[in-house]
Amino acid sequence: MIPLRDVIPSRTTPYVTVALIALNAFVFVYQFMLGDAVERFVFSFGLIPAEFSWVTVFTSMFLHGGFLHFGGNMLYLWIFGDNVEDRMGHGRFLAFYLLCGVAAALAQTVSAPDSTLPMVGASGAIAGVMGAYFVLYPHSRIVTLLPIFFFIQIVEIPAVFFLGFWFILQLLSGVGSIAAATAGEPAGGIAFWAHAAGFVAGLTGVLLFRRPERQRVEWWNDQQLN
């Protein structure tokens, strides 16, 4: 399933969401320009659980492993971020985003503390944004591209189903990664536990960061008049 957009327009300009996408894009282009030196760059600024550093907890959120990784993350951030920023305000949204990324990084570190592979990507922080969207907009729908064999359908899927399915998939994949590690297979690949932890952090953290007055229609009307 490939999300294209949601059905709820943003009522304020999502400055932080746009800035985060721009910063991620800048770093991704810089990585591309490094050529053969990119591996050293990733090992320097990616989060390596076995060599845990608070600095790399934050820098790793802005690195990506390839175009699909970067493009997918930015698509999800654009679809869900503007509405969550709407309800939190710019400053609160930025703090919320970073804290969800920290929760995701810590969860992945705990799940594989001896790993020497760098963890990179904004997926954990964006998963937190998705968790917040799940709470704030349960009646929304996600316009989704759905390939069915040789046919492509564009359908509207309730946000709770889309996001709930995504979260369950991360949990099942995380359990599978533990089973693989127990069987002696090498760890690596997608950090499913980071995704799941980021989502849970978003589900709970949104209750502290949302601004209730922004839910009222009167508040938005006042803003338009001003």
Side-chain angles (χ1 to χ4, degrees):
M1 296 189 299
I2 303 174
L4 302 177
R5 61 179 177 84
D6 68 339
V7 298
I8 300 177
S10 177
R11 292 179 285 188
T12 58
T13 304
Y15 294 112
V16 173
T17 298
V18 172
L20 287 170
I21 292 174
L23 181 56
N24 276 279
F26 175 81
V27 175
F28 182 72
V29 171
Y30 179 74
Q31 285 182 244
F32 181 79
M33 294 174 60
L34 285 175
D36 294 338
V38 67
E39 182 175 348
R40 184 173 62 181
F41 180 77
V42 169
F43 271 83
S44 296
F45 294 100
L47 173 62
I48 301 176
E51 303 171 6
F52 183 84
S53 162
W54 281 107
V55 172
T56 58
V57 166
F58 290 96
T59 57
S60 63
M61 297 183 205
F62 299 94
L63 307 181
H64 287 88
F67 180 77
L68 289 178
H69 187 206
F70 165 77
N73 275 348
M74 295 305 101
L75 175 63
Y76 274 71
L77 179 56
W78 175 249
I79 291 173
F80 300 107
D82 62 332
N83 298 111
V84 176
E85 185 175 348
D86 244 354
R87 291 286 296 276
M88 292 184 177
H90 309 306
R92 289 190 182 199
F93 176 72
L94 177 59
F96 172 82
Y97 178 91
L98 294 174
L99 288 174
C100 287
V102 169
L106 293 178
Q108 189 62 27
T109 299
V110 170
S111 69
D114 299 324
S115 175
T116 57
L117 295 176
M119 185 183 82
V120 298
S123 305
I126 296 170
V129 174
M130 294 164 66
Y133 192 100
F134 184 91
V135 174
L136 295 174
Y137 302 99
H139 302 298
S140 180
R141 299 181 305 281
I142 309 302
V143 179
T144 305
L145 191 151
L146 190 63
I148 304 176
F149 298 106
F150 298 104
F151 302 97
I152 295 178
Q153 298 286 333
I154 296 179
V155 298
E156 289 188 3
I157 299 176
V160 290
F161 292 158
F162 183 95
L163 296 171
F165 175 79
W166 181 90
F167 176 64
I168 291 172
L169 184 62
Q170 305 312 306
L171 283 180
L172 293 177
S173 300
V175 171
S177 68
I178 291 178
T182 302
E185 296 182 16
I190 301 174
F192 294 110
W193 286 117
H195 297 175
F199 192 88
V200 171
L203 283 175
T204 55
V206 66
L207 302 177
L208 297 175
F209 282 87
R210 65 182 176 180
R211 294 175 62 179
E213 73 274 10
R214 291 194 169 206
Q215 187 173 1
R216 299 198 307 267
V217 175
E218 294 84 357
W219 186 89
W220 296 105
N221 290 338
D222 290 342
Q223 295 304 301
Q224 292 171 357
L225 291 174
N226 292 332

